[in-house]
Amino acid sequence: MVKFGNWVFHNRNWFFAILYATMFIPSVALTDDLRIQIGLGVAIFLFGVLSRGITIGLEYIVRGGLYRQIYADKLVTSGIYSICRNPMYFGNILILLGVGIFANSVLFVFLTIPIFMFLYAAIILAEQSFLENKFGEEYNLYKKNVNAIIPDFTRSKEAFKGQEFNLKKVIRKEYNSFFLYLGGLLLLLLYQKHISSIYFLIIGGILLVSYLTIRFLKKKNRLG
């Protein structure tokens, strides 16, 4: 399982993109209520984005990998990592659930998301193996006291005490993913005929201009 987790981690970009594309496969609907589909889907999606943003803005770590390999230059156990060992994966799962509800797809929610969760479990096991080998008992004690995925919100007050949030870092690190998510949701609205081609082009144009503006600011080192 550890070897498989390392393989998934190395190839996750294209592999996950294929799985995301399954939201366009025709499926039995989750609900006939458009308010639930759009409202609940967007709410959960945004909560996932917020979870990722808080993680990056407070204490982003290189544990996200180096050269597509699992890597860690230090063991971070404070801040948000004191209430959850993998807050980025927690955010990703919420994003997936939000996308699945937004897509109104039984297939995505009950097949694609479980596949994602299995793959994340494999990655977590591979990361744990790496961290155990590198940090030994220090990591084992941390693993024993902090949940892998589900945050312990009872520790939130202490975890965020004295933390400073860096919005520029969030934008710098996340803008590619964020606009990719929004573009996918916009395309899904068009695919399901909830918006016209004109609105798709207008909103898509606004997203493109916003993306290029942030990209320009990043290249000019205006985002820190």
Side-chain angles (χ1 to χ4, degrees):
M1 193 68 167
V2 170
K3 288 184 177 179
F4 178 66
N6 280 304
W7 178 85
V8 174
F9 189 92
H10 183 74
N11 297 285
R12 67 191 187 282
N13 288 341
W14 66 264
F15 200 41
F16 285 5
I18 292 173
L19 287 174
Y20 266 111
T22 62
M23 67 179 174
F24 293 100
I25 296 176
S27 167
V28 174
L30 284 168
T31 177
D32 294 326
D33 191 331
L34 189 62
R35 292 171 298 178
I36 293 177
Q37 178 188 348
I38 304 298
L40 183 61
V42 169
I44 295 175
F45 167 81
L46 290 177
F47 189 43
V49 171
L50 180 64
S51 299
R52 286 179 58 93
I54 290 173
T55 302
I56 293 170
L58 292 178
E59 193 162 19
Y60 184 72
I61 58 176
V62 189
R63 221 167 78 190
L66 186 67
Y67 305 118
R68 295 199 298 166
Q69 302 294 332
I70 293 172
Y71 173 81
D73 57 349
K74 61 179 179 178
L75 182 62
V76 177
T77 61
S78 60
I80 195 169
Y81 287 91
S82 67
I83 66 174
C84 175
R85 299 202 311 271
N86 298 281
M88 294 288 281
Y89 295 159
F90 172 70
N92 289 348
I93 290 171
L94 289 176
I95 288 171
L96 286 167
L97 180 58
V99 165
I101 295 173
F102 189 89
N104 202 17
S105 171
V106 166
L107 175 72
F108 193 90
V109 171
F110 293 105
L111 179 61
T112 300
I113 291 180
I115 291 174
F116 264 110
M117 294 181 72
F118 171 73
L119 296 177
Y120 277 129
I123 290 175
I124 288 171
L125 287 175
E127 289 178 335
Q128 286 180 177
S129 177
F130 174 89
L131 294 169
E132 285 170 355
N133 290 332
K134 184 162 186 176
F135 300 106
E137 188 58 31
E138 182 185 4
Y139 176 73
N140 286 329
L141 182 62
Y142 170 60
K143 183 175 69 171
K144 181 180 179 181
N145 293 322
V146 181
N147 295 336
I149 288 290
I150 306 299
D152 182 358
F153 291 109
T154 62
R155 301 180 180 181
S156 298
K157 184 177 180 180
E158 186 64 29
F160 297 126
K161 188 177 181 180
Q163 297 277 319
E164 292 186 8
F165 184 76
N166 188 332
L167 180 60
K168 286 185 177 180
K169 183 167 67 171
V170 177
I171 296 173
R172 188 173 69 249
K173 295 284 187 181
E174 280 288 271
Y175 78 100
N176 274 318
S177 297
F178 186 63
F179 283 109
L180 185 63
Y181 294 145
L182 290 181
L185 295 182
L186 182 62
L187 188 60
L188 190 61
L189 286 174
L190 178 68
Y191 176 73
Q192 295 184 341
K193 299 180 180 178
H194 292 312
I195 60 172
S196 66
S197 299
I198 296 298
Y199 281 113
F200 173 80
L201 291 174
I202 292 172
I203 299 171
I206 293 171
L207 287 177
L208 180 59
V209 170
S210 301
Y211 173 83
L212 293 175
T213 300
I214 293 175
R215 188 176 178 85
F216 172 78
L217 292 174
K218 181 181 177 181
K219 285 187 174 182
K220 294 296 183 179
N221 294 319
R222 302 287 180 83
L223 296 175

